[in-house]
Amino acid sequence: MQNAPMHDVVVVGAGLAGLSAARQLTAEGLDVLVLEARDRVAGRNEGAVFRNGVPVELGGQWVGPGQDAVLALIAELGLQTFQVYDAGRSVLRIDGGLRYAEGGAFGLPDTALAEFTRVQELIDDLAAAVDPADPAAGPGAAEQDRVTADAWLRENVRDEAARRFYDIMLATIFAADTCEFSLLHLLFYVRSGGGLVRLMSTIGGAQDSRVLGGTHRISEAMAEQLGPRVRLRCPVRHLEQEEGGVRVHFDGGAVRARRVIVALPPVLAGRLRYSPPLPANRDSLTQQMPAGTVIKFQVAYERPFWRETGFSGTALNLDGHVGLVYDNCPPDASCGVLVAFIEGTHARDAADLTPEQRRQLVLAELAGLFGPEAAEPLDFLERNWSEEEYTRGCYGGRLGTGLWKRLGRSLREPVDRLHWAGAETAEVWNGYMDGAVTSGRRAAAEAAAALAAEPAGSGAVAAGVSTVAGTGSA
Amino acid sequence: MQNAPMHDVVVVGAGLAGLSAARQLTAEGLDVLVLEARDRVAGRNEGAVFRNGVPVELGGQWVGPGQDAVLALIAELGLQTFQVYDAGRSVLRIDGGLRYAEGGAFGLPDTALAEFTRVQELIDDLAAAVDPADPAAGPGAAEQDRVTADAWLRENVRDEAARRFYDIMLATIFAADTCEFSLLHLLFYVRSGGGLVRLMSTIGGAQDSRVLGGTHRISEAMAEQLGPRVRLRCPVRHLEQEEGGVRVHFDGGAVRARRVIVALPPVLAGRLRYSPPLPANRDSLTQQMPAGTVIKFQVAYERPFWRETGFSGTALNLDGHVGLVYDNCPPDASCGVLVAFIEGTHARDAADLTPEQRRQLVLAELAGLFGPEAAEPLDFLERNWSEEEYTRGCYGGRLGTGLWKRLGRSLREPVDRLHWAGAETAEVWNGYMDGAVTSGRRAAAEAAAALAAEPAGSGAVAAGVSTVAGTGSA
């Protein structure tokens, strides 16, 4: 054990954040090892294949304009994107009836649509004033932090249908109900992604395009470049500070590193063991930045039958469990695919059903939106991300009332030789693939700068002793 | 490993809950083993001794009328209680000035006191309607669950001083700011403890009495009775379901059990590894039932100088970091002791200070309340419970908006052969020592009933296989 191999940096987690960090550090000539718990890379980007051979994503699947880092990375890795299909009429289910609309009108009644737009502009104005580097610092932040998004919406949205629309639409963005995060978290997230309409939109927005073959190919391509620097089936359990570095214990072994980048969602980072234990405020953050709650369904049909009657495949459902549906066909439309989401409280209810009950529930609601053909799929895949031991919820972590102000600083602040990456730590496109990529690079830059400032060998040992002692006395 | 010893029940955690469970099961003739991570028992009841030999508590320290289970246990174990000192004038610091009062008047101005009382009666009325067995089931529960206690107070308390008083007073009860828990959680907790005045009060309330020698002696006395059935320095890391039982892996070994009682706070329970992984909703609960944030100070003086000028030692401070102070002298008043608390957001600020800075801060605020003598202690002890690796926050876990309704059921619901104990799972005196004791007994009864229903030997194996398979397919 004493002679476990010493790396410049060990990265915990081979999702987009961890692999982006490792790739950057490797390019700078540093010796990096990535330890991944699963038998695959890509974390919340999991690929699957329908029985007919069409690839599809069980996790994060969209990229869009403004996500410059991930789009450049995709191009650099030789992968291709294609725009989603969203032509024709969308469907809104409300009060037991269906309403149809072209473009971005959602099918809301005129008064509700006007109120939606007024509030959207208000949210965007408030969001524009938030500093994404320090959301708790703004002039209105103290008040925005202590109020739930739900409470704010109930006070500010003056139309019942518009309010219900916001509840469901925001639940689809956060995979959480609006009473589960603060107004400040909503505003920060909107600011981070460049506006509410962008977060909501397919074409031109955050759901604009997909990666040919699946988003997991981004991580796979990076892992191929990193080669033996990525080790699968190595769940890290314990990070132990010692003289001159950190001993990283995983199932079946241990390695040493001068710096460690923990590229896990905050909840999972909080479940590692640390010696010495993490400071109170960092640990406290990991106790209360829960992951979202979402079950994702990919449903294959012989053909995209909804297109034939002028439907886009986009649906928002204010009545049922399935909140949001999109057309998710392959670019050649060789088969039809609908992607459907159950989120927030509905996902918790649905988690208690059997897989067959959930299938029946989803197909019945799809049939209610698109007609009886939707109940006769070729294939049906689901993923409840809250069940995944090495993810425990999607899309990203959120902060409830009071927490940005009290604990936000602990999101990124390094602890001894530990640096924190992951989509939750991003300033720009927080919670998205783009944010994951830039978070990994930010943590890599931190680690590289720390290594450059610290002479290797005896100098590193001395620095290590001093850092550890400083924490021990806290 | 295959032949690791098999126990009827393994209990994880030797706090009041775990030891109460083990004691009851042992009395029923079952073979029990308690595994404790620390080198001591008693969990959140930690004893300490001033340099002058006077014992004092770094954690939970009071019992009171209505806490029948813990009071009976104390008597049964041959321990003694003594009532606290709370005679004379209390101090309220507000707007930079000091106000004094006798009895329960707190020194609030008359209008503020009247408003405090009106709202207290309103809270007690609402709380009385909550079913502590299922807080989310009540008629007003959906609305109470989605609103923070803070938002409700701002809407309902019509006097500024009364509102600030509520903010600090509730922070001292929950070790959290009022925006960090839901109105329903407040009402449940008040109902669980038998009324707001009871939770706030010394004489006749939840802070009525102490245990001679310290509350940790309750756990120590139970551990003595259990003898070798309690093993210290055995941090449990992994609970693995297998044929006929659970394999319990701890640092340095493994044992097997037909049933396991996890007697840890929800956060720490969520940090164990489970095979198969826990169901989505149970895991999700552990992601968002954070522990409170409190730093407790025990300050010794030559004599209780405040008593000499007619002060009780009780102080509530609306201006500073220290929110609450009580007289905490030994029964013979052989020295003076003040106990002081920094809670919620103030505790997070104070966690970033050095121990010496914190000492200066606390002594300065005590001097502001009780005069310059308070700045000259004989001895000074502190415990930041959020720093404790095997506690990570006091007093208890709380639920934010939306969570009682969505995840409350997962608090106690067994998973396969695993049962959940701990003060957070109690219906009566939730979060208090009394609740910890009854929670352990409730989990013990569950485990004993399950064992009685399941024939030992091959029958147990068959039942085990079926249970595990049921989870695997979920």
Side-chain angles (χ1 to χ4, degrees):
Chain A
M1 285 285 275
Q2 192 58 38
N3 296 317
M6 177 68 125
H7 301 275
D8 289 324
V9 180
V10 163
V11 177
V12 183
L16 280 175
L19 294 168
S20 297
R23 193 161 172 265
Q24 177 164 309
L25 292 164
T26 302
E28 293 176 24
L30 292 166
D31 166 34
V32 180
L33 180 69
V34 183
L35 296 171
E36 166 57 42
R38 288 182 163 103
D39 59 2
R40 63 169 181 83
V41 298
R44 288 173 264 188
N45 289 159
E46 181 179 4
V49 181
F50 283 125
R51 283 192 297 259
N52 65 7
V54 169
V56 80
E57 296 92 345
L58 298 179
Q61 68 165 65
W62 287 291
V63 292
Q67 300 183 346
D68 300 337
V70 73
L71 288 171
L73 176 62
I74 289 166
E76 191 184 331
L77 294 169
L79 298 169
Q80 286 182 289
T81 62
F82 64 99
Q83 200 166 50
V84 300
Y85 180 93
D86 193 14
R89 292 184 297 171
S90 66
V91 180
L92 178 74
R93 188 173 186 96
I94 180 168
D95 295 329
L98 298 177
R99 298 178 62 97
Y100 308 109
E102 304 276 344
F106 320 113
L108 283 172
D110 286 351
T111 51
L113 182 61
E115 180 60 1
F116 166 80
T117 304
R118 188 188 70 80
V119 172
Q120 172 252 308
E121 287 167 359
L122 181 53
I123 290 174
D124 278 333
D125 283 351
L126 291 170
V130 172
D131 176 2
D134 190 1
E143 183 61 27
Q144 291 159 355
D145 193 40
R146 71 194 282 190
V147 171
T148 65
D150 171 59
W152 186 87
L153 289 167
R154 288 206 282 173
E155 197 172 314
N156 285 277
V157 187
R158 297 170 199 149
D159 176 276
E160 169 67 13
R163 195 180 308 122
R164 287 174 57 204
F165 184 83
Y166 266 110
D167 285 345
I168 296 299
M169 187 268 291
L170 290 174
T172 71
I173 291 177
F174 288 91
D177 300 326
T178 53
C179 68
E180 296 183 286
F181 48 92
S182 67
L183 172 61
L184 184 59
H185 189 73
L186 166 62
L187 298 176
F188 157 73
Y189 203 80
V190 166
R191 171 75 171 84
S192 175
L196 187 56
V197 172
R198 213 176 189 184
L199 297 189
M200 293 170 56
S201 299
T202 54
I203 309 298
Q207 288 74 234
D208 180 274
S209 294
R210 300 169 57 196
V211 174
L212 208 61
T215 49
H216 60 286
R217 293 189 60 190
I218 309 171
S219 292
E220 287 178 356
M222 288 196 282
E224 276 161 33
Q225 294 179 344
L226 290 164
R229 295 182 192 88
V230 180
R231 290 183 62 181
L232 303 177
R233 298 177 209 85
C234 293
V236 170
R237 305 291 177 189
H238 184 191
L239 298 176
E240 185 184 13
Q241 304 272 352
E242 55 181 21
E243 272 192 29
V246 182
R247 190 170 294 265
V248 181
H249 303 266
F250 55 91
D251 286 358
V255 292
R256 297 173 70 215
R258 293 168 65 204
R259 292 272 156 179
V260 170
I261 294 174
V262 179
L264 304 177
V267 167
L268 297 190
R271 290 176 176 180
L272 301 182
R273 183 178 163 208
Y274 299 85
S275 302
L278 290 181
N281 289 346
R282 168 67 199 180
D283 184 86
S284 194
L285 176 77
T286 69
Q287 293 186 25
Q288 47 203 321
M289 195 173 193
T293 310
V294 55
I295 311 177
K296 183 175 183 178
F297 302 88
Q298 296 279 11
V299 190
Y301 301 92
E302 261 183 54
R303 35 176 242 294
F305 61 87
W306 54 92
R307 295 185 185 180
E308 295 162 12
T309 44
F311 288 102
S312 62
T314 298
L316 206 71
N317 180 8
L318 307 194
D319 290 348
H321 285 76
V322 173
L324 182 68
V325 184
Y326 285 125
D327 181 306
N328 206 36
C329 297
D332 62 3
S334 58
C335 70
V337 181
L338 291 174
V339 57
F341 298 90
I342 298 184
E343 279 148 331
T345 188
H346 295 133
R348 288 166 188 160
D349 294 343
D352 288 333
L353 303 178
T354 65
E356 182 53 30
Q357 287 171 326
R358 261 194 307 278
R359 179 187 154 103
Q360 292 306 327
L361 173 75
V362 170
L363 293 180
E365 296 200 2
L366 289 177
L369 295 164
F370 295 109
E373 271 188 281
E376 307 290 344
L378 280 183
D379 209 348
F380 186 96
L381 298 170
E382 69 164 341
R383 174 66 80 235
N384 180 351
W385 282 93
S386 296
E387 287 179 348
E388 291 289 296
E389 182 175 15
Y390 295 120
T391 300
R392 283 301 187 187
C394 278
Y395 316 107
R398 67 182 176 276
L399 287 170
T401 37
L403 293 172
W404 262 112
K405 180 163 164 35
R406 291 174 180 77
L407 295 171
R409 211 188 60 198
S410 299
L411 252 182
R412 284 188 292 270
E413 195 170 73
V415 175
D416 292 328
R417 298 168 173 278
L418 311 177
H419 303 266
W420 314 105
E424 284 82 359
T425 70
E427 290 178 28
V428 178
W429 288 107
N430 186 288
Y432 287 79
M433 288 191 271
D434 191 78
V437 170
T438 56
S439 81
R441 293 176 182 165
R442 187 259 315 144
E446 275 176 19
L451 289 174
E454 171 188 276
S458 61
V461 171
V465 169
S466 135
T467 314
V468 171
T471 298
S473 71
Chain B
M1 285 287 274
Q2 192 57 39
N3 296 317
M6 177 69 125
H7 301 275
D8 289 323
V9 180
V10 163
V11 177
V12 182
L16 280 175
L19 293 168
S20 296
R23 195 160 171 266
Q24 177 165 310
L25 292 165
T26 302
E28 293 176 24
L30 292 166
D31 167 35
V32 180
L33 180 69
V34 183
L35 295 171
E36 165 58 42
R38 289 182 163 103
D39 59 2
R40 62 168 181 84
V41 298
R44 287 174 264 187
N45 288 160
E46 181 179 3
V49 180
F50 283 124
R51 283 192 298 262
N52 65 9
V54 170
V56 78
E57 296 92 345
L58 297 179
Q61 68 164 65
W62 286 291
V63 292
Q67 299 182 347
D68 301 337
V70 72
L71 288 172
L73 177 62
I74 288 167
E76 190 184 333
L77 294 169
L79 298 170
Q80 286 184 288
T81 62
F82 64 99
Q83 201 166 49
V84 300
Y85 180 92
D86 194 14
R89 292 184 297 172
S90 66
V91 180
L92 177 74
R93 188 173 187 97
I94 180 168
D95 296 329
L98 298 177
R99 299 178 62 97
Y100 308 109
E102 305 276 345
F106 319 114
L108 283 172
D110 286 349
T111 50
L113 182 62
E115 180 62 1
F116 165 81
T117 304
R118 187 188 69 80
V119 172
Q120 170 252 308
E121 287 168 359
L122 181 53
I123 290 175
D124 278 334
D125 282 351
L126 291 171
V130 173
D131 176 1
D134 189 2
E143 184 61 28
Q144 291 159 355
D145 192 40
R146 71 195 281 192
V147 171
T148 65
D150 171 59
W152 186 87
L153 289 167
R154 287 207 281 173
E155 198 173 314
N156 285 276
V157 187
R158 298 168 198 150
D159 177 274
E160 168 66 15
R163 196 180 307 122
R164 288 173 57 202
F165 184 83
Y166 266 110
D167 285 346
I168 296 299
M169 187 269 291
L170 291 174
T172 71
I173 291 177
F174 288 91
D177 300 326
T178 52
C179 69
E180 295 182 286
F181 48 92
S182 66
L183 172 61
L184 184 59
H185 189 73
L186 166 62
L187 298 177
F188 158 73
Y189 203 80
V190 166
R191 170 75 169 84
S192 175
L196 186 56
V197 172
R198 213 176 191 184
L199 296 188
M200 295 170 55
S201 299
T202 53
I203 309 300
Q207 287 73 235
D208 180 273
S209 295
R210 299 169 59 198
V211 174
L212 208 60
T215 49
H216 60 286
R217 293 188 61 189
I218 308 171
S219 292
E220 287 178 356
M222 286 196 284
E224 276 162 33
Q225 294 179 345
L226 290 165
R229 294 183 192 89
V230 180
R231 290 182 62 181
L232 303 178
R233 298 176 208 85
C234 292
V236 169
R237 304 292 178 190
H238 183 191
L239 298 176
E240 185 184 11
Q241 305 271 354
E242 55 181 21
E243 273 193 27
V246 182
R247 191 171 293 264
V248 181
H249 303 266
F250 55 92
D251 286 359
V255 292
R256 297 173 70 214
R258 294 168 66 202
R259 294 271 156 178
V260 170
I261 294 174
V262 179
L264 304 177
V267 167
L268 297 190
R271 290 175 175 179
L272 300 182
R273 184 178 163 209
Y274 299 85
S275 302
L278 289 182
N281 289 345
R282 168 68 199 180
D283 185 86
S284 193
L285 176 77
T286 70
Q287 293 186 24
Q288 48 204 323
M289 195 174 192
T293 310
V294 55
I295 312 178
K296 183 175 184 179
F297 303 88
Q298 295 279 12
V299 191
Y301 301 92
E302 260 182 56
R303 30 174 246 298
F305 61 87
W306 53 92
R307 294 186 186 180
E308 295 161 14
T309 45
F311 288 102
S312 64
T314 298
L316 206 71
N317 181 8
L318 307 195
D319 290 348
H321 286 75
V322 173
L324 183 68
V325 185
Y326 285 124
D327 181 305
N328 206 36
C329 297
D332 62 2
S334 59
C335 71
V337 181
L338 291 175
V339 58
F341 298 89
I342 298 185
E343 278 147 333
T345 187
H346 295 133
R348 288 164 188 161
D349 293 344
D352 288 333
L353 304 177
T354 65
E356 182 53 28
Q357 287 172 324
R358 260 194 308 276
R359 179 188 155 104
Q360 292 305 327
L361 173 76
V362 169
L363 293 180
E365 295 201 1
L366 289 177
L369 294 165
F370 296 109
E373 271 187 282
E376 307 289 343
L378 279 183
D379 210 348
F380 185 95
L381 299 170
E382 70 164 342
R383 174 66 80 235
N384 181 350
W385 283 93
S386 296
E387 287 179 348
E388 291 289 296
E389 183 175 15
Y390 295 119
T391 300
R392 282 301 187 188
C394 279
Y395 316 106
R398 67 181 177 277
L399 287 170
T401 36
L403 292 172
W404 262 113
K405 181 162 163 36
R406 290 174 180 76
L407 295 171
R409 210 188 59 198
S410 299
L411 253 181
R412 284 189 291 271
E413 196 170 72
V415 175
D416 292 327
R417 297 168 174 278
L418 311 177
H419 303 266
W420 314 105
E424 284 82 359
T425 70
E427 290 179 28
V428 177
W429 287 107
N430 186 289
Y432 286 79
M433 289 191 270
D434 191 78
V437 170
T438 56
S439 81
R441 294 177 182 165
R442 187 260 315 145
E446 277 177 18
L451 289 174
E454 172 188 276
S458 61
V461 171
V465 169
S466 135
T467 314
V468 171
T471 297
S473 68

